Amino acid sequence: MDSVLPDPTGLDVNGVFYTYTPNKETNADFEVEIGNHNADGTGYVWKETDNWDGVQGGIAIIKNVPLPYVPRSQFGDGFLNTTGEGTVEDASLIYSYKVDPCFNAQADINCPGFIPPTPTIVDMADIYDATEDSVIEQVEVKNTDTKAKDTDVKSDEELEEEERNKRLERAMSITDNSALFAEGFAQSMMLQQMNNSINVTTYLTKTIQGGNYNDSIELEGGNLPDNNGGRRMNWSTQKLHDELVGMQYNLGE
């Protein structure tokens, strides 16, 4: 299930949608079981049994199984088993879930009972100690010799202290960059897993049975005569319009 559902704290599954197409003869006995085992190996979190005995095959089934907000930790491996004469094609399973952002009281300062997290102190030497790098030591020795020749103002102890501080700054910058890269990579992998767990193609490949709606109104005689009343109205309206235009340009004078 690690490749199907993300694993943040406070994730609860509230439903399952599944679809598949059974291929079988109408008279053949065929049964399909689909569900998830419990994580501890005892029983099932959910299980559905579809009996296709005496039913025509080749017709896709779409089913919704509501769940009472089952915690992510209870879900074990999923399964799809068949019994009888037939096969299953185009099977797809979609989980519906929600995440409680305040399941961990340290996740957000706005959560009830917020507990300030304890900072994690990273030992930079365990990640990468730039001061132990032989290449950097050679570069530092060359820089120190050059600066010693250029000026006599600073003592050897002061120069050594400056070089030590610079090495420490480089080591800290390398550590920060590594931590930021690891955090961004982990977030992108989580988003990819959530997107891969949703398959909406099953909703886009279905066709709706329809037909043609023929006209039911017939015209008696097959001819529509002109409306003489409408003709008189159009003539009077046009005459009034011409008079208004003539008044604008003084055409009547």
Side-chain angles (χ1 to χ4, degrees):
M1 291 296 294
D2 293 338
S3 61
V4 178
L5 287 175
D7 195 21
T9 56
L11 187 148
D12 296 329
V13 179
N14 61 355
V16 178
F17 302 85
Y18 70 86
T19 179
Y20 64 86
T21 301
N23 292 328
K24 60 178 291 291
E25 299 293 335
T26 302
N27 297 328
D29 294 337
F30 187 57
E31 192 174 82
V32 178
E33 286 186 348
I34 186 171
N36 276 96
H37 295 285
N38 280 321
D40 58 5
T42 60
Y44 308 97
V45 177
W46 69 278
K47 184 179 76 168
E48 287 288 313
T49 302
D50 301 324
N51 193 327
W52 295 90
D53 295 351
V55 181
Q56 179 183 356
I59 302 176
I61 179 177
I62 302 176
K63 208 167 184 179
N64 174 26
V65 181
L67 297 176
Y69 289 100
V70 181
R72 162 70 177 83
S73 58
Q74 295 185 16
F75 276 77
D77 294 335
F79 63 89
L80 191 155
N81 302 324
T82 61
T83 304
E85 300 178 2
T87 58
V88 170
E89 291 185 354
D90 300 329
S92 177
L93 182 64
I94 300 174
Y95 293 88
S96 174
Y97 59 86
K98 73 169 187 176
V99 177
D100 182 6
C102 292
F103 183 84
N104 181 0
Q106 294 182 327
D108 192 338
I109 192 173
N110 297 319
C111 292
F114 172 72
I115 302 174
T118 303
T120 302
I121 301 176
V122 180
D123 188 356
M124 294 181 296
D126 294 339
I127 300 176
Y128 174 71
D129 188 359
T131 60
E132 299 295 333
D133 194 321
S134 59
V135 176
I136 293 180
E137 288 182 353
Q138 294 176 2
V139 173
E140 297 299 336
V141 169
K142 291 181 180 179
N143 291 338
T144 302
D145 294 341
T146 302
K147 291 181 179 180
K149 294 178 180 179
D150 294 340
T151 178
D152 296 331
V153 176
K154 295 182 180 180
S155 63
D156 294 340
E157 294 180 357
E158 291 175 342
L159 292 175
E160 183 179 356
E161 181 67 21
E162 288 183 359
E163 298 302 328
R164 188 182 302 108
N165 292 334
K166 290 181 180 179
R167 289 196 295 269
L168 181 59
E169 290 178 359
R170 293 192 187 94
M172 293 179 65
S173 64
I174 293 173
T175 302
D176 292 340
N177 292 336
S178 301
L180 290 174
F181 175 79
E183 181 180 356
F185 181 76
Q187 291 178 354
S188 64
M189 290 299 296
M190 180 181 294
L191 290 174
Q192 182 178 358
Q193 290 179 1
M194 293 175 67
N195 291 331
N196 292 338
S197 66
I198 300 177
N199 182 9
V200 296
T201 56
T202 56
Y203 301 96
L204 304 178
T205 58
K206 306 303 176 185
T207 57
I208 300 176
Q209 299 297 330
N212 297 325
Y213 294 91
N214 298 322
D215 294 337
S216 59
I217 301 175
E218 297 182 358
L219 180 64
E220 296 182 0
N223 185 27
L224 285 176
D226 294 335
N227 186 353
N228 294 327
R231 180 182 301 174
R232 289 193 297 271
M233 179 63 69
N234 292 338
W235 182 83
S236 62
T237 303
Q238 182 63 36
K239 182 180 178 182
L240 179 59
H241 175 73
D242 292 341
E243 291 177 356
L244 292 173
V245 173
M247 292 172 64
Q248 178 180 359
Y249 294 100
N250 298 323
L251 299 179
E253 295 181 359

